[in-house]
Amino acid sequence: MTEPLPHELRLAFAPLHKRAFGMAVGAAAAIVVFGATAVYLLRDPQPGFDLGLLAEYFYGYTVSWLGAFVGAAWAFVAGFAAGWFAAFCHNLVIAVSLFIGRTREELRANRDFLDHI
């Protein structure tokens, strides 16, 4: 008879909610881009910290207050996609690992099936 898994172990193998994880990563990325741009605009810009490079990745981004909002929107989209894909990959790896483990255990348990006939 199999024993039920402890609560902590069930939580370790629980799937991630893809949309929620994507929203969390997207919100964090948007806050970082907006915050970095706001800090850059509020203090005296010093050389060596070039936020203008974000314009290569985020269309319409400039180092300005309007650009901070544009960059935050693009960072949210990119972060959402990255977070959703990471959660998808995590869930896929966990599901495949559990399937392989279960299948190996069933094959091991039924190895002597023909001996009982």
Side-chain angles (χ1 to χ4, degrees):
M1 183 177 260
T2 62
E3 299 175 11
L5 290 174
H7 181 67
E8 294 82 12
L9 196 55
R10 277 187 284 141
L11 285 178
F13 290 108
L16 291 175
H17 193 277
K18 294 185 290 284
R19 191 176 336 139
F21 195 70
M23 293 287 284
V25 173
I31 289 171
V32 166
V33 169
F34 184 83
T37 305
V39 166
Y40 186 82
L41 291 172
L42 291 176
R43 67 174 180 81
D44 293 329
Q46 297 174 3
F49 190 65
D50 190 16
L51 283 179
L53 289 175
L54 285 176
E56 296 294 323
Y57 299 103
F58 302 146
Y59 178 76
Y61 176 80
T62 57
V63 183
S64 65
W65 287 107
L66 178 63
F69 288 104
V70 170
W74 276 113
F76 178 80
V77 171
F80 179 85
W84 187 94
F85 187 70
F88 173 78
C89 290
H90 171 269
N91 293 345
L92 181 66
V93 167
I94 293 294
V96 167
S97 299
L98 289 175
F99 176 76
I100 290 172
R102 247 186 234 140
T103 304
R104 283 183 181 167
E105 184 60 30
E106 287 176 3
L107 287 173
R108 191 193 61 75
N110 296 327
R111 184 168 292 172
D112 60 350
F113 171 72
L114 291 176
D115 294 340
H116 297 290
I117 294 180

